[in-house]
Amino acid sequence: MLDIDQFRSLIEQWKIEKQTIEQFLIHFNIYMYEQEEEFYSYFEEFVQTDLNYYIKKISL
């Protein structure tokens, strides 16, 4: 079993936060283009620069 320091080390080593954000943006954009009508029904006058994102917490 991993202790918290090993877990943090793996998060840094595998760049989990960076990869998570990159994948979120990829899939968000896929949704925006492939399901355009539905997307804009939820997000209306969406502008990419209005999108703010961050990772608040990583946990097991």
Side-chain angles (χ1 to χ4, degrees):
M1 180 161 234
L2 294 175
D3 68 22
I4 193 69
D5 290 328
Q6 290 173 314
F7 185 62
R8 285 185 180 134
S9 177
L10 287 174
I11 289 169
E12 290 175 20
Q13 177 185 348
W14 293 344
K15 298 178 174 104
I16 302 267
E17 291 181 18
K18 180 179 183 257
Q19 289 184 43
T20 301
I21 289 171
E22 287 174 355
Q23 288 302 311
F24 166 77
L25 291 171
I26 287 169
H27 292 289
F28 185 83
N29 285 318
I30 288 171
Y31 173 56
M32 183 171 58
Y33 291 109
E34 290 186 0
Q35 302 295 323
E36 187 174 2
E37 187 174 316
E38 179 181 282
F39 178 88
Y40 286 104
S41 75
Y42 290 116
F43 297 104
E44 297 177 358
E45 296 179 22
F46 175 77
V47 178
Q48 190 82 25
T49 56
D50 292 340
L51 183 62
N52 293 311
Y53 47 85
Y54 64 95
I55 296 175
K56 184 175 181 178
K57 181 178 181 180
I58 296 179
S59 61
L60 292 173

